[in-house]
Amino acid sequence: MTTQIKKINLGDNPAVENTEGVPLDGFQDPTGEYPKREYHYGSSINRSARGLKVENLYLGGGSPANPLNLEDQEPSRFPFNQVKETASGHVISYDDTPGGERILIKHRKGAGVEIRADGSVVISALKNKVEVTGGDQTVIVEGNGKLVYNGDLTLEVTGDYNVNVGGDYRVNVDGNSETNIRRSNVTQVGLNTKYTTKGTATYKTVEHEARLILGNEDHVVKGYYKNNVGAEIEMFTANRFQVSAEEHIGMSALNANIQATDISILGMRGAIGGEAVEFTGPVYMGPKGAKAFASGAAFYGSFHGQALEAINSGFAYKAENAKTAMVASKEKAGQPEGGAPECPKRMEGPTPVKPVPKTDAVANLLMSGHLSIKPIVIDEEDKLLYSILLRDDYGDLYEKEPTIDEIRSSLRDPANKELKNYQDTKVVDVMVQKNMLSADWNVNIFPPKVNRISKGNEVTPRYGYIALGNSVNNRGKRFK
Amino acid sequence: MIIIPDPVYNPNHLDKVTTTTKLAPGVSISKFFGSKGNPCSMTSIAKYRTNQDARVQLARNLYIHAELFRSINGNVDMFKDVRLVVSEGVYRGGPLELIGGDNQKKQDGLLVVYKVFGEDGEIDYERTFDLADYWKDYMVYEKLSLEYDKWDPSGKLNAQVAVEIPKIPESFDVDFGMKVETNFNGHLFSANELIEVVDN
């Protein structure tokens, strides 16, 4: 119903409105879209322009412990807000309301860009957000920053990746952490380093490992500590070198040498010597010390030298008075009073407790048992080495499992197609076996299907395109 | 042919060449080192570790490749919906590899292999051919090879464009062979023409 009806003679065309005038409620929309429900019985001026409604982007709230820290938007005041709202609900708003100045571009679903009164810029994407920068990009944030990804994050850097941190740098990983570095890894720590491994720690070094400690080093091992060295061990100390064990120390070698200016080899019991071991020293005595006739020691075998007394001598090589030496007949000056003491005849000396260390017995000790020399063979054929370096798989080509792109790149050299690994197998065959390379990579030389063809000596006609840079045949850059 | 390099990016004017050295707008040398086929750093290759002359020569060679990028980046008429990626750039080689053949050319910056990816992150075969065809007509090269293979065990077709250039002297006075060919599975499929291969 309109306030005024004006008939128009439009002929027979029914598609054309045949009346015009002003409806009683001020609107006439042939589509029925307008006025919208919220504008019934009211002003047709946009509600957000009048401050009855505040258009906001979809933000979804902050993440836990990460508030968005956005101030509430001041409602607009008429007539400061210029709003354009489309039928579906897209909004562009230029708001000059004092204290609430902002620019808003909002999609009907809530995505958009908002420049707020305080200068904050809010960008909201309900689904994906794509940023493409053809050249360089610089981001400068004067305050703090937070990045929250509730899914996975992958960062790919083609060139160098430099991180400069003025303060502390913390990485907290709830799962596993893997670092693969194809070249060198250099870490310099200005102060202290602390490693704590709650499980098992394994370190492998293929070549040389050097540790320089200018201070002290302590090793504390609660369990066993085992060193297996394929070549030599040399330990030098400028001062004291002490080895002790609460229970047992065993040292075995084909050749052993202990030299000292002052040496002591002491024990409560045991044996020293061997079938062909010679002893040299000025004094030999029994456990009771240097007491004549009562030292408690026995000597078995031939004696070459001078004996002050002989208890029982079956044969004296050059004893001029031996026949009368059993009992001294007269005192001499300097001798104990009463003459020589009565000497026990046929006195039984101490007998050995330990068996004679025969050569065979010593050899057995060296060959078997817990005191034997342990054979040390560490990666004799370099199998472990080649396994770590993957040379038993990929020869000299890769030290990591290659990707299909790396395989393509390497095989561009025909020599690499024939290259064999350290097990004399072709590297390409290994890659086929490991399902890294198609089995018919070198057999199938015909493509499945072809489409367009462009001749090398013909320029392909292009219509509607503006060629960038050079003209056809590069004449623009030719000066000869 | 004498090429007049953009003075802003002319490697001859550089005192020092690093991976951050720009060869074209948005194209630095690092783009040719971080390829999927052989990612490496400049210092990991002995000849480029300290030798600035070798680096400048590399930069001159790569300057021509940067021009290839320049012809695609911002070409909103033809290539606005694809991304050009270096799939095989400067080659470092395996730990004990004796580098030879085309890999030596890659190490010298003479040969670079490119892939064209669509918005779905997959190789755009149609655009790969378009790009090779476009370069064939508008750019300079010694040899431009359209390469296809089915080496991926999944059976997926791979498409890439290999561009070889001659060594660029300091004068930038150099002749280009302008040869084209198409390869499949590492074998020459067609000489002097680019043939688009499509999967079944």
Side-chain angles (χ1 to χ4, degrees):
Chain A
M1 188 177 184
T2 62
T3 55
Q4 182 183 359
I5 303 294
K6 183 181 177 183
K7 297 284 186 183
I8 301 171
N9 185 8
L10 297 170
D12 297 331
N13 188 352
V16 179
E17 183 73 31
N18 58 3
T19 60
E20 68 177 29
V22 181
L24 285 176
D25 55 3
F27 290 97
Q28 175 69 44
D29 180 12
T31 65
E33 183 76 30
Y34 295 104
K36 290 190 171 181
R37 181 183 294 262
E38 61 265 33
Y39 291 95
H40 283 181
Y41 308 107
S43 170
S44 62
I45 297 173
N46 192 282
R47 287 167 60 84
S48 59
R50 288 179 283 146
L52 299 178
K53 178 184 169 189
V54 178
E55 296 283 359
N56 280 322
L57 299 178
Y58 170 83
L59 294 177
S63 66
N66 290 311
L68 296 179
N69 294 326
L70 292 174
E71 294 179 2
D72 291 337
Q73 177 63 30
E74 189 81 15
S76 301
R77 285 197 316 218
F78 188 78
F80 296 110
N81 191 9
Q82 297 179 38
V83 180
K84 180 171 180 63
E85 182 172 358
T86 65
S88 68
H90 305 318
V91 173
I92 295 178
S93 163
Y94 302 95
D95 194 347
D96 289 330
T97 300
E101 299 90 343
R102 71 165 178 167
I103 300 172
L104 175 74
I105 302 173
K106 182 190 163 195
H107 184 267
R108 58 181 283 267
K109 289 190 173 176
V113 180
E114 180 183 9
I115 304 172
R116 295 193 157 219
D118 62 354
S120 300
V121 178
V122 180
I123 300 173
S124 173
L126 268 72
K127 210 172 177 187
N128 300 329
K129 183 184 173 193
V130 178
E131 269 189 65
V132 177
T133 306
D136 299 333
Q137 184 172 7
T138 302
V139 179
I140 298 174
V141 180
E142 295 294 345
N144 299 324
K146 271 176 192 168
L147 288 173
V148 178
Y149 291 90
N150 290 322
D152 296 334
L153 172 66
T154 302
L155 188 64
E156 287 192 21
V157 181
T158 304
D160 296 338
Y161 178 51
N162 304 307
V163 180
N164 301 311
V165 181
D168 296 336
Y169 178 59
R170 298 181 185 87
V171 179
N172 300 308
V173 181
D174 283 337
N176 300 322
S177 170
E178 284 185 25
T179 306
N180 296 304
I181 301 167
R182 294 185 66 180
R183 301 291 292 175
S184 302
N185 179 27
V186 176
T187 304
Q188 288 190 359
V189 181
L191 280 174
N192 303 322
T193 301
K194 188 184 285 185
Y195 294 103
T196 302
T197 304
K198 296 183 178 176
T200 301
T202 304
Y203 299 96
K204 292 175 184 170
T205 303
V206 170
E207 292 184 5
H208 185 70
E209 181 167 329
R211 284 164 56 86
L212 170 65
I213 300 164
L214 297 179
N216 303 318
E217 180 175 8
D218 291 329
H219 272 188
V220 179
V221 182
K222 188 175 181 181
Y224 71 80
Y225 178 77
K226 192 178 280 187
N227 268 350
N228 295 313
V229 180
E232 297 179 353
I233 289 182
E234 291 185 334
M235 298 181 76
F236 307 110
T237 173
N239 198 332
R240 196 167 59 90
F241 185 84
Q242 182 174 352
V243 179
S244 75
E246 288 189 5
E247 289 187 9
H248 177 78
I249 287 182
M251 297 177 72
S252 307
L254 292 179
N255 293 295
N257 294 290
I258 300 175
Q259 293 90 19
T261 54
D262 189 350
I263 189 168
S264 297
I265 301 174
L266 305 174
M268 295 180 181
R269 65 187 73 84
I272 295 178
E275 269 194 287
V277 178
E278 298 177 352
F279 293 89
T280 303
V283 175
Y284 293 84
M285 67 182 85
K288 293 181 181 172
K291 292 182 178 176
F293 312 108
S295 182
F299 180 83
Y300 295 86
S302 302
F303 182 82
H304 294 262
Q306 285 188 335
L308 293 177
E309 289 97 9
I311 296 169
N312 187 11
S313 175
F315 173 77
Y317 171 65
K318 214 172 180 181
E320 293 180 354
N321 300 318
K323 291 177 181 175
T324 58
M326 293 293 283
V327 176
S329 57
K330 55 183 179 184
E331 294 180 10
K332 283 188 177 177
Q335 285 188 331
E337 194 172 321
E342 286 293 328
C343 294
K345 297 174 184 175
R346 298 276 179 189
M347 187 184 73
E348 199 62 41
T351 53
V353 178
K354 292 273 185 181
V356 175
K358 294 280 192 185
T359 300
D360 291 346
V362 175
N364 277 338
L365 281 175
L366 291 173
M367 297 289 287
S368 62
H370 71 286
L371 292 176
S372 64
I373 299 173
K374 304 291 188 295
I376 301 294
V377 178
I378 299 176
D379 198 21
E380 190 177 29
E381 297 175 351
D382 287 336
K383 286 183 178 175
L384 181 60
L385 173 72
Y386 297 151
S387 171
I388 292 173
L389 297 178
L390 302 183
R391 286 184 189 161
D392 48 359
D393 286 334
Y394 308 120
D396 298 336
L397 214 49
Y398 312 111
E399 283 183 348
K400 63 182 273 292
E401 301 289 349
T403 63
I404 185 66
D405 288 317
E406 289 167 333
I407 292 170
R408 276 193 195 97
S409 181
S410 299
L411 296 189
R412 199 168 283 280
D413 184 355
N416 290 340
K417 293 179 181 176
E418 304 297 325
L419 187 73
K420 291 186 176 179
N421 64 17
Y422 284 26
Q423 294 179 335
D424 208 28
T425 307
K426 270 188 173 182
V427 172
V428 287
D429 291 342
V430 173
M431 293 190 291
V432 169
Q433 195 181 351
K434 286 188 166 189
N435 202 29
M436 295 171 167
L437 183 63
S438 175
D440 57 354
W441 69 278
N442 203 26
V443 178
N444 186 6
I445 59 171
F446 295 107
K449 197 175 169 186
V450 298
N451 196 8
R452 292 176 285 174
I453 296 177
S454 173
K455 297 286 184 187
N457 50 3
E458 296 175 6
V459 175
T460 305
R462 295 178 179 81
Y463 302 104
Y465 292 127
I466 301 170
L468 293 182
N470 301 323
S471 61
V472 175
N473 296 328
N474 306 294
R475 288 187 188 124
K477 289 196 172 180
R478 289 181 182 175
F479 290 85
K480 263 186 180 175
Chain B
M1 175 193 297
I2 296 177
I3 294 175
I4 306 298
D6 187 333
V8 177
Y9 303 104
N10 188 346
N12 290 339
H13 298 163
L14 297 172
D15 294 331
K16 191 177 177 185
V17 173
T18 66
T19 50
T20 57
T21 299
K22 290 279 181 60
L23 300 173
V27 183
S28 61
I29 288 183
S30 65
K31 195 179 276 287
F32 299 96
F33 275 91
S35 67
K36 293 282 186 191
N38 189 245
C40 62
S41 62
M42 186 180 266
T43 53
S44 67
I45 299 174
K47 65 193 287 188
Y48 300 131
R49 201 160 290 151
T50 55
N51 189 339
Q52 278 297 323
D53 291 339
R55 287 187 180 198
V56 171
Q57 180 61 60
L58 175 72
R60 271 200 301 269
N61 296 340
L62 292 179
Y63 176 84
I64 305 299
H65 290 285
E67 286 286 298
L68 298 177
F69 263 103
R70 205 170 181 172
S71 71
I72 299 304
N73 292 345
N75 189 341
V76 294
D77 281 336
M78 296 183 68
F79 301 109
K80 65 180 178 185
D81 51 354
V82 294
R83 181 166 300 282
L84 183 65
V85 172
V86 174
S87 62
E88 296 176 32
V90 180
Y91 190 78
R92 189 189 66 211
L96 299 172
E97 181 183 350
L98 295 172
I99 298 175
D102 283 349
N103 286 342
Q104 184 62 57
K105 293 177 184 171
K106 286 195 292 184
Q107 188 172 84
D108 295 337
L110 302 178
L111 175 65
V112 176
V113 185
Y114 302 89
K115 278 186 184 176
V116 179
F117 288 90
E119 289 178 352
D120 57 356
E122 300 289 334
I123 292 173
D124 192 327
Y125 304 109
E126 193 177 333
R127 284 281 180 262
T128 300
F129 180 84
D130 289 342
L131 175 115
D133 192 28
Y134 181 78
W135 279 352
K136 181 205 77 177
D137 291 341
Y138 292 105
M139 304 308 290
V140 289
Y141 47 83
E142 180 65 26
K143 186 169 75 176
L144 187 146
S145 308
L146 184 56
E147 299 184 338
Y148 295 93
D149 71 70
K150 297 201 80 169
W151 287 3
D152 193 324
S154 68
K156 196 172 157 187
L157 180 68
N158 178 62
Q160 50 193 18
V161 182
V163 180
E164 183 186 334
I165 60 159
K167 184 179 176 182
I168 306 298
E170 194 172 349
S171 62
F172 276 88
D173 185 357
V174 64
D175 292 324
F176 294 92
M178 305 297 282
K179 291 175 274 192
V180 298
E181 64 180 31
T182 304
N183 297 317
F184 183 75
N185 272 357
H187 299 275
L188 180 65
F189 178 59
S190 177
N192 200 32
E193 58 186 6
L194 301 175
I195 299 180
E196 183 183 23
V197 172
V198 291
D199 217 345
N200 285 324

